[in-house]
Short mmCIF file of all heavy atoms in Angstrom, two decimals:
data_model
loop_
_atom_site.label_atom_id
_atom_site.label_comp_id
_atom_site.label_asym_id
_atom_site.label_seq_id
_atom_site.Cartn_x
_atom_site.Cartn_y
_atom_site.Cartn_z
N GLU A 609 19.21 0.32 19.19
CA GLU A 609 17.89 0.32 19.81
C GLU A 609 17.17 1.61 19.47
O GLU A 609 17.74 2.69 19.50
CB GLU A 609 18.05 0.19 21.32
CG GLU A 609 16.76 0.07 22.06
CD GLU A 609 16.99 -0.18 23.54
OE1 GLU A 609 17.91 -0.93 23.89
OE2 GLU A 609 16.25 0.42 24.33
N ILE A 610 15.88 1.49 19.17
CA ILE A 610 15.05 2.65 18.89
C ILE A 610 13.93 2.68 19.92
O ILE A 610 13.23 1.69 20.11
CB ILE A 610 14.45 2.60 17.47
CG1 ILE A 610 15.57 2.63 16.43
CG2 ILE A 610 13.48 3.76 17.26
CD1 ILE A 610 15.10 2.42 15.02
N LYS A 613 8.70 7.19 22.66
CA LYS A 613 8.11 7.48 23.95
C LYS A 613 6.96 8.47 23.78
O LYS A 613 7.13 9.54 23.19
CB LYS A 613 9.17 8.07 24.89
CG LYS A 613 8.68 8.26 26.29
CD LYS A 613 9.84 8.69 27.18
CE LYS A 613 9.35 8.86 28.60
NZ LYS A 613 10.44 9.25 29.50
N SER A 616 1.60 11.21 27.22
CA SER A 616 0.27 11.63 27.68
C SER A 616 -0.84 10.93 26.91
O SER A 616 -0.63 10.34 25.86
CB SER A 616 0.12 13.14 27.52
OG SER A 616 0.16 13.48 26.15
N GLY A 620 -1.88 9.48 22.55
CA GLY A 620 -2.29 8.11 22.28
C GLY A 620 -2.48 7.82 20.80
O GLY A 620 -2.09 6.77 20.30
N ALA A 623 0.86 7.53 19.19
CA ALA A 623 1.47 6.24 19.53
C ALA A 623 0.89 5.12 18.68
O ALA A 623 1.63 4.28 18.16
CB ALA A 623 1.27 5.94 21.01
N THR A 625 -0.50 5.39 15.74
CA THR A 625 -0.02 5.58 14.37
C THR A 625 1.40 5.02 14.22
O THR A 625 1.70 4.33 13.24
CB THR A 625 -0.06 7.07 13.99
OG1 THR A 625 -1.41 7.52 14.05
CG2 THR A 625 0.48 7.30 12.60
N ASP A 628 1.30 1.20 14.33
CA ASP A 628 0.60 0.57 13.21
C ASP A 628 1.28 0.80 11.86
O ASP A 628 0.75 0.39 10.82
CB ASP A 628 -0.84 1.06 13.13
CG ASP A 628 -1.72 0.46 14.21
OD1 ASP A 628 -1.30 -0.54 14.84
OD2 ASP A 628 -2.83 0.99 14.43
N GLY A 629 2.43 1.45 11.83
CA GLY A 629 3.09 1.76 10.57
C GLY A 629 3.29 0.54 9.69
O GLY A 629 3.05 0.58 8.48
N LYS A 631 1.52 -2.11 9.59
CA LYS A 631 0.23 -2.56 9.07
C LYS A 631 -0.16 -1.76 7.83
O LYS A 631 -0.70 -2.31 6.87
CB LYS A 631 -0.86 -2.43 10.12
CG LYS A 631 -0.71 -3.38 11.28
CD LYS A 631 -1.83 -3.15 12.29
CE LYS A 631 -1.67 -3.99 13.51
NZ LYS A 631 -2.73 -3.72 14.51
N LEU A 634 1.86 -3.10 4.98
CA LEU A 634 1.31 -4.37 4.51
C LEU A 634 0.02 -4.16 3.72
O LEU A 634 -0.20 -4.83 2.70
CB LEU A 634 1.06 -5.31 5.69
CG LEU A 634 2.29 -5.84 6.40
CD1 LEU A 634 1.89 -6.66 7.62
CD2 LEU A 634 3.17 -6.65 5.46
N MET A 636 -0.79 -1.49 1.97
CA MET A 636 -0.41 -0.93 0.67
C MET A 636 0.18 -2.01 -0.23
O MET A 636 -0.04 -2.02 -1.44
CB MET A 636 0.57 0.24 0.84
CG MET A 636 -0.05 1.46 1.50
SD MET A 636 -1.57 2.05 0.70
CE MET A 636 -0.97 2.46 -0.91
N SER A 645 -2.19 -8.01 -10.08
CA SER A 645 -2.88 -9.17 -10.64
C SER A 645 -3.81 -8.77 -11.78
O SER A 645 -4.02 -9.53 -12.72
CB SER A 645 -3.63 -9.94 -9.56
OG SER A 645 -4.76 -9.24 -9.12
N GLY A 650 -4.80 -10.10 -15.86
CA GLY A 650 -6.12 -9.74 -16.36
C GLY A 650 -7.24 -10.16 -15.42
O GLY A 650 -8.37 -10.33 -15.84
N SER A 652 -10.06 -9.63 -13.01
CA SER A 652 -10.96 -8.52 -12.72
C SER A 652 -11.46 -8.58 -11.29
O SER A 652 -11.74 -9.64 -10.76
CB SER A 652 -12.16 -8.55 -13.66
OG SER A 652 -13.07 -7.52 -13.34
N ILE A 653 -11.58 -7.41 -10.66
CA ILE A 653 -12.20 -7.35 -9.34
C ILE A 653 -13.57 -6.68 -9.45
O ILE A 653 -14.27 -6.57 -8.47
CB ILE A 653 -11.32 -6.59 -8.32
CG1 ILE A 653 -11.04 -5.18 -8.78
CG2 ILE A 653 -10.04 -7.33 -8.05
CD1 ILE A 653 -10.36 -4.31 -7.75
N ASN A 657 -17.04 -12.45 -14.12
CA ASN A 657 -16.39 -13.39 -15.03
C ASN A 657 -14.87 -13.43 -14.87
O ASN A 657 -14.20 -14.17 -15.56
CB ASN A 657 -16.77 -13.10 -16.48
CG ASN A 657 -16.23 -11.75 -16.96
OD1 ASN A 657 -15.46 -11.08 -16.26
ND2 ASN A 657 -16.62 -11.37 -18.16
N GLN A 659 -12.49 -11.60 -15.83
CA GLN A 659 -11.64 -11.14 -16.92
C GLN A 659 -11.66 -9.62 -16.98
O GLN A 659 -12.69 -9.02 -17.19
CB GLN A 659 -12.12 -11.72 -18.26
CG GLN A 659 -11.22 -11.40 -19.43
CD GLN A 659 -9.80 -11.93 -19.23
OE1 GLN A 659 -9.60 -13.03 -18.73
NE2 GLN A 659 -8.82 -11.15 -19.61
N LEU A 671 -2.99 3.49 -11.39
CA LEU A 671 -3.12 3.57 -9.94
C LEU A 671 -1.87 3.04 -9.24
O LEU A 671 -1.41 3.62 -8.26
CB LEU A 671 -4.35 2.79 -9.47
CG LEU A 671 -5.70 3.44 -9.74
CD1 LEU A 671 -6.83 2.48 -9.42
CD2 LEU A 671 -5.84 4.72 -8.94
N ASP A 677 4.44 6.55 -6.68
CA ASP A 677 4.94 7.92 -6.68
C ASP A 677 4.68 8.61 -5.34
O ASP A 677 5.55 9.30 -4.79
CB ASP A 677 4.30 8.74 -7.81
CG ASP A 677 4.84 8.40 -9.19
OD1 ASP A 677 5.88 7.72 -9.27
OD2 ASP A 677 4.20 8.80 -10.18
N ILE A 678 3.48 8.41 -4.81
CA ILE A 678 3.14 9.01 -3.51
C ILE A 678 4.04 8.44 -2.42
O ILE A 678 4.60 9.18 -1.61
CB ILE A 678 1.65 8.78 -3.18
CG1 ILE A 678 0.78 9.62 -4.12
CG2 ILE A 678 1.36 9.11 -1.71
CD1 ILE A 678 -0.70 9.27 -4.07
N LEU A 679 4.19 7.13 -2.39
CA LEU A 679 5.04 6.50 -1.37
C LEU A 679 6.48 6.96 -1.51
O LEU A 679 7.16 7.21 -0.51
CB LEU A 679 4.94 4.98 -1.47
CG LEU A 679 3.59 4.37 -1.09
CD1 LEU A 679 3.59 2.87 -1.34
CD2 LEU A 679 3.22 4.69 0.34
N TYR A 682 7.27 10.06 0.22
CA TYR A 682 7.44 9.90 1.67
C TYR A 682 8.63 9.00 2.01
O TYR A 682 8.78 8.57 3.15
CB TYR A 682 6.17 9.30 2.29
CG TYR A 682 5.03 10.28 2.36
CD1 TYR A 682 4.02 10.28 1.39
CD2 TYR A 682 4.95 11.21 3.39
CE1 TYR A 682 2.97 11.17 1.46
CE2 TYR A 682 3.90 12.11 3.46
CZ TYR A 682 2.92 12.09 2.50
OH TYR A 682 1.87 12.98 2.55
N SER A 683 9.45 8.70 1.02
CA SER A 683 10.62 7.83 1.18
C SER A 683 10.23 6.44 1.69
O SER A 683 10.92 5.86 2.52
CB SER A 683 11.66 8.46 2.12
OG SER A 683 12.10 9.70 1.60
N ILE A 684 9.13 5.93 1.16
CA ILE A 684 8.67 4.58 1.51
C ILE A 684 8.79 3.71 0.27
O ILE A 684 8.33 4.08 -0.81
CB ILE A 684 7.21 4.59 1.99
CG1 ILE A 684 7.07 5.43 3.26
CG2 ILE A 684 6.70 3.17 2.22
CD1 ILE A 684 5.64 5.66 3.69
N LEU A 686 7.91 -0.13 -1.05
CA LEU A 686 7.21 -1.38 -0.74
C LEU A 686 8.11 -2.60 -0.82
O LEU A 686 7.82 -3.63 -0.23
CB LEU A 686 6.02 -1.57 -1.68
CG LEU A 686 4.84 -0.64 -1.48
CD1 LEU A 686 3.77 -0.90 -2.53
CD2 LEU A 686 4.26 -0.78 -0.09
N ASP A 688 11.19 -2.94 0.29
CA ASP A 688 12.11 -3.11 1.42
C ASP A 688 11.46 -3.90 2.53
O ASP A 688 10.32 -3.85 2.80
CB ASP A 688 12.56 -1.75 1.97
CG ASP A 688 13.47 -1.04 0.99
OD1 ASP A 688 14.02 -1.68 0.11
OD2 ASP A 688 13.60 0.19 1.13
#
Side-chain angles (χ1 to χ4, degrees):
E609 185 175 321
I610 297 173
K613 187 174 181 179
S616 65
T625 298
D628 286 345
K631 291 179 185 178
L634 292 175
M636 292 307 298
S645 71
S652 177
I653 59 172
N657 66 7
Q659 185 59 40
L671 286 171
D677 286 347
I678 290 169
L679 293 175
Y682 287 98
S683 300
I684 298 172
L686 289 177
D688 291 341

